[in-house]
C-alpha cells in the first residue's frame, strides 16, 4: 500500500501542514482515500461492520488510559473482539502492486462466501471514529498515521487464519518477482505488503496458505507460500518497534469534530501578519480556508503646503489618523499607515491646523481642494484691473 496524501493550497497564504494521515477518520484504508463509491452491482454499505464489541461498560483495548498510541497488541485484541477476521471461515484479503481497492473488493472479496475481510472491514468505521481519531493519538501528523497503517497491517496479518489471499494487478511484477513475492517499482517508501503483512503471515502458525490472485488473468490463483515448504521467508515485520514521533506543537488537545471527519492541523503565516495553528474538520477529501486577521485599508496623505496640508496623516476607513512613523519623508502606507487596529481617540483633523490667509477683504482657510472664506469687515475690495490686450500681429 502506498499512503495517500491530501494537499491544501490556501489563497496566497503560506501554509505548512500536518495531515490527518490519509484522512484516516473516513479513509481507513489509505489506498481508498477518498473512498470509492459503491458500484452499481453493490448494495451499501459496502464494508462490513463488527458483529461484536466490548462487553457492557468495557472499553476497546486501544482505549486504555495507559496507551498513548495504538500498538500492534491492542489492535490485535480489538480485531479479535470485533469478530470479523476468521469468523465463520472468513478469509483475509490483502492487495497491492497495481490492484485498486474497488478491484480487490468487487472482483474478488465479494465473490467469496462468506465475504473476505479487507483493510476497511477488520475494524469498522464506528471503531475508527471512537477509538482511532481521538485527540490524544494526534492522527493530524502524517508520520504518526503512517506508523498506524504499519501497525494495523501487522495486526491484520497476526489475526488472519487459514487461507489468505493477496490480490495483484498481474502475477509477473513490473519490478520483478512473481505473485506475493513481487518487488515494488517505487522504493521511496516501504511496501506495506512486503514489509509488514507478508512477513507476519509467514510467522503466523494459524495461516495455511498465501494465495495470490491475478486480476489480469480472470482472477487466477497461485499458491505462493505454505508453511514448511522451504519457501522464501521475508525479514520479520518491525511495526511494533517504529518510533512514534511526538505530537506536532501547537495542535489543540481537544477538537470537536463530526463523525467521519478528516481533521487537519494547519500552521499558517500571512506575510507581515500573525502566525498560528488551527484545526480544520471536514469530510474527505478535505478542503479548508483560513480567515486571516482583518486588515485595515489605509492610505498616506503626505505634507503638501501648496494645497494647505501642513502635516502628514493617514486616511483609514474614511477617518484620519496620525502616521505611525514620524517624518515628512514617508513614502507609503507600509512605512507610516500600517494600522491593524484603530483607536477612535487617536483620530486627528488635519484641517484644524491649516493656514489662514487674507485675500482681497476675505479671510480664507485653505484645504487640499477647497477653501472656506468669510468677508473681512471694514475692508474695501480693490477693483480688478482691466488687462491690456496684446498689440495686433503685423
Amino acid at each position: 500500500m502506498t499512503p495517500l496524501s491530501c494537499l491544501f493550497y490556501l489563497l496566497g497564504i503560506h501554509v505548512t501542514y500536518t495531515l490527518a494521515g490519509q484522512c484516516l477518520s473516513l479513509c481507513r484504508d489509505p489506498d481508498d482515500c477518498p473512498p470509492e463509491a459503491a458500484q452499481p452491482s453493490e448494495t451499501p454499505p459496502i464494508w462490513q461492520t463488527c458483529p461484536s464489541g466490548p462487553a457492557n461498560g468495557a472499553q476497546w483495548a486501544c482505549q486504555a488510559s495507559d496507551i498513548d498510541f495504538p500498538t500492534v497488541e491492542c489492535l490485535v485484541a480489538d480485531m479479535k473482539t470485533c469478530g470479523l477476521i476468521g469468523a465463520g471461515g472468513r478469509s483475509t484479503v490483502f492487495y497491492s502492486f497495481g490492484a485498486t481497492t474497488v478491484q480487490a473488493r468487487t472482483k474478488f472479496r465479494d465473490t467469496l462466501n462468506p465475504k473476505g475481510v479487507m483493510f476497511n472491514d477488520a475494524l469498522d468505521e464506528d471503531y475508527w471514529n471512537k477509538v482511532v481519531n481521538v485527540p490524544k493519538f494526534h492522527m493530524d501528523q502524517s508520520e504518526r498515521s503512517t506508523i498506524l497503517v504499519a501497525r494495523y497491517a501487522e495486526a491484520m496479518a497476526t489475526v488472519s487464519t487459514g487461507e489468505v489471499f493477496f490480490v495483484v494487478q498481474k502475477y509477473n511484477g513490473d519490478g520483478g518477482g512473481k505473485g506475493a513475492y513481487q518487488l515494488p517499482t517505487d522504493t521511496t517508501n516501504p511496501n506495506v505488503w512486503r514489509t509488514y503483512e507478508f512477513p507476519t503471515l509467514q510467522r503466523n502458525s494459524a495461516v495455511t496458505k498465501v494465495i495470490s490472485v491475478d486480476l489480469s488473468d480472470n482472477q487466477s490463483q497461485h499458491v505462493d507460500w505454505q508453511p514448511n515448504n522451504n519457501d522464501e521467508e521475508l525479514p520479520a515485520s518491525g511495526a511494533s518497534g517504529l518510533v512514534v514521533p511526538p505530537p506536532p506543537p501547537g495542535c489543540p488537545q481537544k477538537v470537536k469534530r463530526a463523525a467521519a471527519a478528516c481533521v487537519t492541523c494547519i500552521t499558517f503565516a500571512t506575510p507581515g501578519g500573525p502566525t498560528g495553528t488551527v484545526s480544520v474538520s471536514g469530510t474527505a477529501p478535505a478542503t479548508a480556508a483560513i480567515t486571516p486577521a482583518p486588515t485595515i485599508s489605509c492610505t498616506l496623505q503626505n505634507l503638501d503646503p501648496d494645497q494647505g496640508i501642513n502635516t502628514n496623516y493617514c486616511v483609514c476607513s474614511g477617518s484620519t489618523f496620525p502616521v505611525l512613523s514620524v517624518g515628512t519623508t514617508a513614502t507609503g502606507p507600509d512605512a507610516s499607515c500600517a494600522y491593524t487596529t484603530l483607536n477612535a481617540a487617536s483620530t486627528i483633523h488635519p484641517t484644524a491646523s491649516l493656514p489662514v490667509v487674507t485675500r482681497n477683504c476675505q479671510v480664507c482657510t485653505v484645504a487640499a481642494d477647497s477653501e472656506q472664506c468669510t468677508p473681512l469687515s471694514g475692508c474695501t475690495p480693490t477693483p480688478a484691473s482691466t488687462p491690456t490686450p496684446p498689440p495686433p500681429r503685423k
Side-chain angles (χ1 to χ4, degrees), residues 213-230:
V213 179
D214 183 356
L215 293 176
S216 70
D217 187 29
N218 197 31
Q219 290 70 254
S220 62
Q221 299 181 14
H222 305 261
V223 177
D224 291 332
W225 180 88
Q226 295 182 82
N228 306 315
N229 197 40
N230 294 322

Side-chain angles (χ1 to χ4, degrees), residues 202-254:
Q202 292 178 316
R203 291 161 176 80
N204 182 348
S205 60
V207 173
T208 59
K209 292 179 182 178
V210 173
I211 304 170
S212 62
V213 179
D214 183 356
L215 293 176
S216 70
D217 187 29
N218 197 31
Q219 290 70 254
S220 62
Q221 299 181 14
H222 305 261
V223 177
D224 291 332
W225 180 88
Q226 295 182 82
N228 306 315
N229 197 40
N230 294 322
D231 295 319
E232 178 189 355
E233 189 173 87
L234 300 184
S237 169
S240 294
L242 294 175
V243 177
V244 181
C251 286
Q253 293 296 315
K254 294 181 180 180

